[in-house]
């Protein structure tokens, strides 16, 4: 049963990561900001391989920041 819930969470995180990448691509922000956001998404993707619940929380925070217009500083 636990494996089923883990698979379900994995599918949800994967779908949300795809959506997040689309959102980041569509943002009208400087290239440095877009690169910083892409790096954050890559870190979340890597984290999902080791700690799926933590990756889901990180993704939630990132999407909330994007929804509220909070973007990282660009290089």
């Amino acid at each position: 049963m636990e494996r089923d819930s883990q698979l379900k969470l994995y599918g949800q995180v994967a779908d949300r990561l795809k959506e997040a990448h689309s959102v980041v691509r569509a943002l009208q922000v400087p290239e440095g900001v877009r690169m910083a956001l892409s790096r954050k998404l890559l870190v979340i993707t890597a984290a999902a391989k080791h700690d799926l619940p933590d990756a889901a929380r990180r993704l939630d925070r990132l999407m909330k920041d994007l929804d509220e217009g909070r973007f990282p500083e660009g290089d």
Side-chain angles (χ1 to χ4, degrees):
M1 188 59 88
E2 182 180 328
R3 181 170 166 78
D4 289 341
S5 65
Q6 190 79 352
L7 285 174
K8 183 177 177 183
L9 180 58
Y10 180 80
Q12 291 170 342
V13 170
D15 289 344
R16 293 185 60 233
L17 277 168
K18 285 172 57 176
E19 178 185 336
H21 278 281
S22 294
V23 168
V24 167
R25 273 194 309 272
L27 288 173
Q28 299 295 317
V29 294
E31 189 60 27
V33 172
R34 185 180 329 282
M35 288 174 58
L37 290 168
S38 292
R39 281 192 298 271
K40 284 181 177 261
L41 288 171
L42 289 173
V43 168
I44 293 168
T45 301
K49 296 175 185 176
H50 305 285
D51 189 346
L52 194 54
D54 180 55
R57 286 188 295 274
R58 289 180 182 203
L59 185 55
D60 286 340
R61 281 193 306 269
L62 177 62
M63 295 309 292
K64 183 177 183 209
D65 286 347
L66 293 179
D67 288 344
E68 294 176 359
R70 291 192 304 262
F71 304 112
E73 302 262 336
D75 293 344

